[in-house]
Amino acid sequence: MHGTRRATRPRRGLAALVAAGSLLTVLTTATPASASTASAPVGGGAEVVCTSKRPGLAPTLSHDLADALDGRRGASALAVYDRPSGTRCAFQAGDHFDSASVVKVTVLGTLLRQAEEAHRKLTPREVRLTTAMITRSDNDSTTALWHQLGTGKVQHFLTLAGMRDTVPGRGGAWGLTQITAADQLALMQLLTAENTVLARSSRGYALDLMHRVAPDQRWGAPAGAPATATVHVKNGWLPRKTNGWRVNSVGTFTGHGHDYGMAVLSTGSRTMAYGVATVESAARVVHRDLQR
């Protein structure tokens, strides 16, 4: 449990944010980009830390995210980026969580990289399996691709993608892959910018599948997204005997000037609905504050 925290509303301006009694600590650095860093504690424990080049955004976003996560049962983590404003946020982003189905984006990335290295296109079978895996979160399709690739190729992709803290699930237990919010955010960034790991065609294929996720699975990160944004999302949910439900969501938002993404992970929820509410409370803050 994140604990209890008395909420205070931030006032505009740096001086107000560091006034006595404020729960927000603001640190400014004299960098060429004039970026500022702000942090806000969640229940007196770990802090949400945000950095942004947009004046006032880091303190507002860190404070609002801390408010959204404060008091929620279980454990959670998040990581956020916004390229236009040079914004990044993190909360327990290095902690490990069971992946559940969000690992399916990693499986897709692994397959696309393997096909590029072999100088081939995806086979009709692979197109069928990847489409079912991402748009409908089909587990049988994921298992088939996981066994086809093997953990060696998955690890190869993770290394290339800089996802150093992700540990593939043993055997066929892909849903128990250990992930971090930071690594998942790195994957979202990889899919939305030029890089040497995945070609433009591969990135476009992955984003198209994430854009076509079934309507009943478009919860989580898209909650509160602006109507002008193109949504790409993948969710994961898994109940276990210990620590309840794992509910995770990763997504990117592009088009019409939008270029940002997030990864929100949670564990220890008594019900799936509670976990979804935890994820969406953070997601709504991100969308709202970035559009101000």
Side-chain angles (χ1 to χ4, degrees), residues 210 217-226 231-235 249-253 260 262 279-280 283-284 287:
M210 293 174 68
Q217 296 181 22
R218 293 176 70 84
W219 46 265
V231 174
H232 316 90
V233 64
K234 185 68 194 82
N235 296 321
S249 185
V250 298
T252 67
F253 307 87
Y260 64 100
M262 70 182 82
V279 170
E280 292 191 343
R284 291 182 188 280
H287 294 300

Side-chain angles (χ1 to χ4, degrees), residues 31-45:
T31 62
S34 299
S36 65
T37 299
S39 62
V42 180

Side-chain angles (χ1 to χ4, degrees), residues 85-191:
S85 64
T87 300
R88 294 186 68 87
C89 291
F91 173 67
Q92 303 192 128
D95 289 3
H96 282 99
F97 290 73
D98 292 335
S99 67
S101 288
V102 295
V103 76
K104 293 172 182 178
V105 184
T106 298
V107 175
L108 176 60
T110 300
L111 177 65
L112 292 170
R113 174 66 191 190
Q114 188 276 326
E116 287 184 24
E117 291 181 351
H119 304 290
R120 68 175 182 85
K121 295 181 179 180
L122 297 187
T123 66
R125 171 183 174 273
E126 290 170 338
V127 170
R128 184 176 68 255
L129 291 175
T130 53
T131 300
M133 176 176 68
I134 300 297
T135 65
R136 295 190 286 107
S137 203
D138 183 72
N139 291 337
D140 291 341
S141 298
T142 310
T143 298
L145 289 170
W146 185 266
H147 287 306
Q148 172 184 320
L149 294 165
T151 55
K153 286 189 173 63
V154 173
Q155 185 59 61
H156 175 60
F157 174 74
L158 293 171
T159 300
L160 292 175
M163 299 167 68
R164 298 177 181 85
D165 295 321
T166 300
V167 183
R170 295 182 179 180
W174 46 263
L176 297 183
T177 294
Q178 297 300 291
I179 62 172
T180 67
D183 276 4
Q184 288 299 297
L185 194 72
L187 180 56
M188 296 301 101
Q189 292 176 287
L190 189 75
L191 293 176

Side-chain angles (χ1 to χ4, degrees), residues 243-277:
N243 295 325
W245 281 84
R246 282 71 164 152
V247 180
N248 307 320
S249 185
V250 298
T252 67
F253 307 87
T254 60
H256 294 91
H258 305 293
D259 187 1
Y260 64 100
M262 70 182 82
V264 189
L265 314 179
S266 74
T267 189
S269 296
R270 293 180 180 176
T271 65
M272 178 179 171
Y274 188 90
V276 171

